[in-house]
Amino acid sequence: MIRYAKPTTVVEALALLGEDRWRILAGGTDFYPAQGAKPFRDNVLDINGLAELRGIAATDDHWRIGARTTWTDLVRQPLPVAFDALKAAAREVGSVQIQNVASVAGNLCNASPAADGVPGLLALDADVELRSAKTTRHLLLGEFILGNRRTALQPGEMVTAIRVPKSSAVGASAFVKLGARRYLVISIAMAAARLVVEDGMIADAAIAVGSCSAVARRLAGVEAALRGQPITAALADAVLTAPIDELSPIADVRGSAEYRQDAAREIVVRAVRAAVGRGEGKVAA
């Protein structure tokens, strides 16, 4: 017998997760397309009634994004300019109708290599809060997404929040997505850049690229090459000559592996230039 449950509290939801195996239904924008016309064979835990999991709040140390927070919620929330890349990515998640219901946590749990929200969150050093009926743990986003459609979620757990350290919510950021058309497109490559500029020099850099490996990756070599660089046209050369060992793009109908590799460098250059411009002008998305 297939079960359906719609709990009204997180405690109730976690109790249900502890007693049986469930597929969690949040916004449903990935859930229903994946199901297609096949009959349901799994228990369905509908968490759309959990109001406590929706919204963004500041704590002493973190910005806390509730698991059910939608992309539209995120775009509308006043946040530091370091979140500009994430807000720009939010506007690329499907259509406006999708953005109104799709959840931030759902984008992570779906674990697509082309998940629009992941590079921006990686550039913010985000972690994922995982709760079960017995315990709460936190994993860095890079440790939570393990591969294509694979996460570190354990039986009985659910994602309850994404946290961004306030120490990382500094600087300015930008997001660049490359696709075959302007809207409603799965990316060929995408990049998020967050830069901290002090006295005309890059004091810190966080660069992440998606759709060019099984999971989105931070580019440590590019970040190291940018730190200490003056804000000049030579920034592009620093990106174009830095080692990028983290990427392992595939070839598919959207582009060859070689094209993705070259495109990744170019869109990182564009994201860096855009972040520099936002940092100098302090213009929030």
Side-chain angles (χ1 to χ4, degrees):
M1 177 76 84
I2 295 171
R3 301 173 64 189
Y4 170 85
K6 190 174 183 180
T8 57
T9 68
V10 172
V11 170
E12 182 186 355
L14 295 176
L16 288 166
L17 284 171
E19 69 183 36
D20 208 343
R21 296 187 71 89
W22 301 81
R23 284 183 68 194
I24 295 178
L25 169 62
T29 57
D30 288 315
F31 183 99
Y32 289 112
Q35 184 66 32
K38 301 187 298 289
F40 283 94
R41 301 193 183 278
D42 301 310
N43 299 327
V44 177
L45 185 66
D46 184 344
I47 65 169
N48 284 294
L50 303 183
E52 59 193 290
L53 293 187
R54 185 169 179 178
I56 301 173
T59 69
D60 290 342
D61 301 320
H62 292 86
W63 287 95
R64 181 183 173 85
I65 304 169
R68 281 193 56 246
T69 302
T70 70
W71 294 106
T72 297
D73 293 337
L74 190 142
V75 167
R76 292 176 175 173
Q77 181 80 17
L79 291 167
V81 293
F83 284 84
D84 281 6
L86 187 59
K87 287 191 172 190
R91 296 185 179 96
E92 299 281 355
V93 178
S95 63
V96 172
Q97 294 91 333
I98 294 294
Q99 295 161 24
N100 288 343
V101 294
S103 65
V104 178
N107 193 243
L108 306 186
C109 291
N110 192 48
S112 166
D116 290 312
V118 176
L121 286 167
L122 283 175
L124 287 165
D125 298 320
D127 69 32
V128 180
E129 180 180 277
L130 306 171
R131 285 184 61 185
S132 68
K134 296 181 179 180
T135 188
T136 300
R137 64 189 180 117
H138 297 93
L139 284 179
L140 290 173
L141 180 55
E143 298 172 356
F144 173 71
I145 301 177
L146 302 179
N148 185 13
R149 313 294 182 180
R150 294 191 301 115
T151 72
L153 266 172
Q154 297 296 315
E157 285 185 329
M158 66 182 291
V159 175
T160 49
I162 297 94
R163 306 187 310 167
V164 172
K166 285 190 171 177
S167 59
S168 297
V170 294
S173 67
F175 175 79
V176 176
K177 177 175 176 174
L178 174 65
R181 58 181 185 267
R182 180 63 186 87
Y183 297 106
L184 299 173
V185 63
I186 298 174
S187 66
I188 297 170
M190 55 184 161
R194 179 175 61 86
L195 303 177
V196 179
V197 178
E198 296 176 356
D199 300 323
M201 307 276 287
I202 295 180
D204 198 11
I207 310 293
V209 167
S211 284
C212 291
S213 44
V215 297
R217 299 287 190 190
R218 285 276 294 266
L219 303 184
V222 175
E223 293 172 356
L226 287 171
R227 293 187 187 106
Q229 290 284 336
I231 304 302
T232 67
L235 281 179
D237 293 332
V239 172
L240 294 173
T241 58
I244 298 183
D245 301 323
E246 297 86 354
L247 303 184
S248 53
I250 63 168
D252 61 14
V253 295
R254 289 184 292 277
S256 68
E258 294 79 11
Y259 176 71
R260 277 190 165 92
Q261 189 81 29
D262 292 341
R265 283 191 185 272
E266 175 59 29
I267 63 173
V268 167
V269 169
R270 296 181 188 185
V272 166
R273 285 174 171 162
V276 167
R278 286 185 172 89
E280 292 178 340
K282 300 294 183 186
V283 178

